[in-house]
Amino acid sequence: CKRSYLYAAAAAAISFLSHGSVAEEEEYDMVKQIMFIRADDNRLFRPFPTKLTHDHREKEDSACKGNLPKVLAYLTNPDSPTQLKGQAAELLSLCTNYHPENREKIGSSEGVITSLVSMIQNGLQQIHHDDQAEAFMHLDTFARAAEAIWILTYNSPSNHKAFVDAGAIEILASYLLETGAHKNDGKVCLHKGQQVGGSGRTPCHHARMWAGAALQNLAADYCDGTCWFEWNNASKTALVPHSEEKRGREITISAAKERETIASIDGLMEELVSMACAMSTKEKPSPEHPWPSHAVMGRDDGMPSLVPWAAIGVLKNLALSDELRHDLAYGMAYRCVCDAWASKDWLEAEKARDALHHMGRQEDCEDEHMPREGAEL
């Protein structure tokens, strides 16, 4: 089941509205551009663009180049309909992934950061909406905005600070808590207004995945790119940037304060651990349990198995802080992350491996799953 563009489950209920403040001849078909830039690559999580995506977005008249101002106008215009803002946010994500110049250009454009934060704030306020189409639209838009926050935050000091100052951490956390097991036993994600076509599937989980992923990047340290950490000695007294990493040996963005903020939000640590404990250790993906690295738009966006990798990513970065590491390494977080390390899905397993390394317990978990010669069973 492959779709070039999501809104499929609500297609009958949501019609594209004309942009009232823009003259008809100036209207821009963002759906067509999304399909063009995606180029049939409909993965929900795209760690890197395909060559075709790269080639398409480099065309002079693409949404990522000559027509980028139109996309930014739809995002930042307060009169733009919600679904058009969502389309614009998705285009910004597609234009930014593996494109640091666009990351800075888009993030520094007037109104972009505040508009994306307003979109997740609005989505948070609409999660109890009784109208199915409205609930879907707002949650879907929340997911697209959170994805844009995820990629725009990566390795960008200015964007990182701007999102933090705009309150992104607190709003993302509030959404996870409001829709999660710790506060509401997960019942909000089963709210009748959020089920797609009566199927029991809900965009709530898609939004939870990107909310967690955005928090992960807001909690990360960067070394002019991804930081790779090593322990400074056998006693594991401190994590330091890897001495052999070519991209950089010094931390250029420290998120120590952001990790402190995340840890201080009542109930959030427990919710993140609960999310991490629902990992996908199935031998094969299935329609009922898609692996997050295999998930595609229009088919898998309503599935709760999308969520754990993002939560594990947050725990991975929280473990960078000395004051948080012990509780993570010797509590339920370790237990669930260690289980996730054995996941058959590379995305979950990779996040779990790095989290265990930051906790200082990678060898302990390896012994549980694959005892080394001479190790006690």
Side-chain angles (χ1 to χ4, degrees), residues 56-71:
H56 284 185
R57 69 185 184 183
E58 289 303 306
K59 291 184 179 295
E60 285 301 323
D61 62 346
S62 80
C64 302
K65 297 197 78 173
N67 282 308
L68 180 60
K70 294 181 180 179
V71 179

Side-chain angles (χ1 to χ4, degrees), residues 80-286:
S80 292
T82 298
Q83 66 268 35
L84 293 186
K85 285 179 173 287
Q87 294 168 23
E90 182 174 351
L91 276 171
L92 296 187
S93 297
L94 291 169
C95 293
T96 303
N97 197 355
Y98 267 69
H99 201 317
E101 291 181 3
N102 266 358
R103 186 180 306 128
E104 298 308 316
K105 180 178 181 179
I106 291 169
S108 63
S109 297
E110 184 177 359
V112 167
I113 302 293
T114 54
S115 294
L116 289 169
V117 173
S118 294
M119 288 164 68
I120 60 172
Q121 177 66 60
N122 188 49
L124 173 64
Q125 295 170 345
Q126 298 294 330
I127 59 178
H128 293 288
H129 206 297
D130 286 326
D131 183 87
Q132 184 181 33
E134 286 290 318
F136 183 96
M137 179 175 63
H138 286 288
L139 286 169
D140 184 67
T141 300
F142 180 106
R144 295 169 193 279
E147 181 181 3
I149 294 172
W150 165 75
I151 193 58
L152 286 168
T153 297
Y154 177 82
N155 193 36
S156 173
S158 56
N159 292 352
H160 188 280
K161 182 179 186 303
F163 279 121
V164 171
D165 291 347
I169 288 176
E170 291 78 4
I171 299 169
L172 293 164
S174 294
Y175 178 77
L176 292 178
L177 288 169
E178 191 65 25
T179 57
H182 180 72
K183 181 176 180 180
N184 286 313
D185 297 324
K187 293 179 180 178
V188 172
C189 275
L190 298 177
H191 188 261
K192 66 179 181 179
Q194 297 176 12
Q195 293 182 7
V196 179
S199 66
R201 296 170 61 248
T202 164
C204 181
H205 298 300
H206 184 206
R208 280 170 65 77
M209 179 187 82
W210 284 120
L215 278 180
Q216 170 193 244
N217 281 5
L218 287 163
D221 288 345
Y222 296 94
C223 300
D224 194 22
T226 300
C227 282
W228 303 101
F229 289 94
E230 63 182 352
W231 289 97
N232 63 333
N233 55 42
S235 299
K236 297 182 178 180
T237 55
L239 281 167
V240 295
H242 200 293
S243 59
E244 297 180 359
E245 174 56 40
K246 295 180 180 179
R247 270 186 287 183
R249 302 177 184 179
E250 297 183 359
I251 294 175
T252 53
I253 302 175
S254 172
K257 291 183 179 179
E258 288 72 28
R259 292 192 289 272
E260 183 179 343
T261 297
I262 290 170
S264 70
I265 296 174
D266 186 38
L268 182 58
M269 295 289 281
E270 293 86 348
E271 180 58 35
L272 290 168
V273 172
S274 177
M275 292 163 64
C277 289
M279 60 282 165
S280 310
T281 53
K282 306 290 185 182
E283 288 293 329
K284 295 181 180 180
S286 68

